[in-house]
Amino acid sequence: MMKRFLTCVLALVMVLGLAAGGTPARAATGGKLIALTFDDGPGPYTGRLLDGLKERGVKVTFFMVGTNVKRYPDLVSRAYQEGHQIANHSYDHANLVNLSDSGVADQIASTNALLDLACGTGTSYMVRPPYGSTNSRVRADIAAPLILWSVDPLDWKDRNASTVKSRVVKDAADGAIILLHDIHSTSVDGALAAIDELQEDGYEFVTVKELYRRRGVAMENGTTYGRCKSNGTDLGPVTPPVLTSRSVDGKLEITITAQAGASVYYSLSDAALNGASTLYTGPFTVTPPCTVWAAAAFDMNGSRSETVEQRFTQPVAKAPVIQVSDGVLTLENQTPGTEMYYTLDGTAATVNSARYKGPVSVAPGTVISACAAGGEYLASPASRAAYSDRGQLFRDVFPGDWYYKAVDQAAAEGFMSGKGGERFAPNDALSRAQLVTLLYRYSGEKVTQVERDSCPFRDIKPDGFYRDAVCWAFARGLVKGQGDDIFAPDGQISRQEMCVILAKFLGYRGLELPDGAGVLEQFADADAVASWARKSVQSVVACGLMKGDATGKFSPAAGATRAQGAAILVRVEDVEDALSTVRDELPEDGSQENGAPSSEEAEVGSGATLF
Ligand code: ZN
C-alpha cells in the first residue's frame, strides 16, 4: 500500500511541476525517453530488479543468454508478462565474429527457441552481440536489429552500487541506451537508485523497441543502433484497450477497441497473454460470468499496454415459454423482475419488439418469438414456436422447413405424435418401431389377441407403445425381424430397409407397384443398394415415394429421420390415391410409370435433402 501511495505522489509532483512550467500535457510522459538494458541474465538478482522496476512503473530491455534462459525460465516469463522487452544475447556469450556463419545462426536460433517458450512462437527478438563485437558478416547473418549502447557505466568492473548510480545519472541523456548487467547485485541496486533520480528529473524509461517506435523510427534487420535522439516526434505510450459489451441473444458480445495501428490479444482463461494468444479480429460472444484479459500491442514483446482484466457477471434472463391455446398466445415469464417482448412475423424478438401485456390472439401459420430482459438481467435468448396451419404448437418445426406441412399433417391426423413439450424432434432417428407404428396407425386396423400371442420377438416390451404395431406388422408379413426372435425396435431404420417395409405395406394394401426397372440408374450410388432391397427401392422410387439428394445420391444405408417418416406417410396417402386413380383410368397394360403425383409432391417435398 505504501509503495503505491508513493508512486501516486510522485506522479502528481511531476504533473504539477510541468504544468507550472507551461509544458503541454503530452510532455508529462513524453519529454525525455531513455532505455535501460540488462545483459547476461537472467540471474539470481533479476527477480529483485523486476520487483523494483514494477514499483517504479519502469520498462526495460533484457538481453539474455541462452544458458541462463534455460536455468531461469520463470524469470523470462515474468519479465515478458510485466511488459519488458526480451532480447537475444547469444546462447553462451560467444564472440560472434570468431564464428562461422552457421555458428552465428546457431547461437541466435537456439536462444530464440528458448525465449519462444515464454513469449510464444513467432516472436521476434532484437540481438545484442556479446562484447558489442560485430562486423559486416555477422550483421548479414542476423535477421534482427543489432542493439549496442551509448552509455557504459562499467558496472561489471566496479561493483559498487553508488558508483553505478552516479555514472548512469551523470551520462544519462535523452534517447540514450544504457548498458547494465543484472547478474550483479550492485548493478541492480545502482540502477534502481538511478531510476529514482532520473524520474525526478523528468525521464521516462522505455524499452528499446518503444524508444524507436515512439520517435517514429523504423528499425531494420542487420543494422546497429546505439541511441535514438529526439526528433520532435513522440507517438506516446501504448494505450490499454477498452472493452465494451452488449447482450445479444442471451449471450454477451464483447467489443475491444485499441488505438490505431495496435493489435489486440485476448484470452478468456489466462491472464498471461503473449504473441501466441488469440488475436482480436472482431466482436465475440461469451457467457457470463466470465473474465476477459486483453492487451493492445504494436509488438507483444516490449511494445504493449498493461493487460486489462474485466469481469462480466451480469446474469442472463431465461427465455419466456410460449403457449398457444385455441388461437390465444400467452407468455410464461421464467425470470421474475424482467419484462417480456414478442414478435409474430418470424423475426427474433428483442427488447425493441412489442412488450407483452397479456394474452394475444394469433392466426394459424404464425411464428412466435419472445424474449425477456430488464432489471439486473441481460436479455434472454429469443424463444421460438410455430402455431401451425392446422392449429398445433411446435417448438422445433417451422414454416420453411421442407417437412413442415408433412409433420403438421401427420401430427394433426394422429399418425405421429411429438416427443413431449410440443417438440417433434424432426431430425431425430426414425426407429424401426416408430415406422411400424406409423403404418399401423395409418392403416386404421386393430391387432387381434391371436396375432399378439403369436408374435415371436422377445425384445419388444409388453408395455412398449409399439407392441401392437409390431405384432400387427409381423402377422401381415411386413416385418421379419433381424434374427430368429429379435426385432430391434429402437434401431434406426435405414432408407433401404424403409423401402422394403413400404413396398410390402403398399402390396398388402392391394396396390400394384410399378417395377421401376432401370430407375436406379439416375443415382450415382445405385450400386450401393443392397441386393435384398433392390426391387423394393426401385418400386418405391418409381412411384415417387422417395428420391435422391441434391448431389444425385440415394444413400440407401443412411438412417431415416422422423421428418422423413412423416413425409413418407403423407406421400403414401397421395400414392394410394394416385395409384388407385391410375388403375381406374389406364387400360390393363400395367403402364404406371407416370403415376406419381407431381403437384402434391412439390408441396410436401420441396427442398427435401434426402427425398
Ligand atoms: Zn554480455
Side-chain angles (χ1 to χ4, degrees), residues 331-410:
L331 296 181
E332 295 172 3
N333 195 332
Q334 306 297 302
T335 312
T338 59
E339 295 284 352
M340 297 187 288
Y341 304 86
Y342 70 97
T343 64
L344 301 176
D345 61 1
T347 61
T350 70
V351 291
N352 299 319
S353 306
R355 191 159 72 82
Y356 179 77
K357 293 171 190 151
V360 181
S361 292
V362 289
T366 299
V367 175
I368 303 144
S369 176
C371 73
E376 60 178 308
Y377 293 91
L378 292 170
S380 73
S383 50
R384 196 166 168 244
Y387 183 53
S388 78
D389 294 336
R390 292 173 184 245
Q392 305 181 92
L393 188 62
F394 291 116
R395 302 191 190 282
D396 56 3
V397 175
F398 293 94
D401 294 332
W402 68 264
Y403 45 76
Y404 167 68
K405 282 181 183 295
V407 169
D408 197 17
Q409 185 174 334

Side-chain angles (χ1 to χ4, degrees), residues 39-40 89 93 130-131 181:
D39 288 13
D40 300 358
H89 195 41
H93 214 271
Y131 317 103
H181 299 80

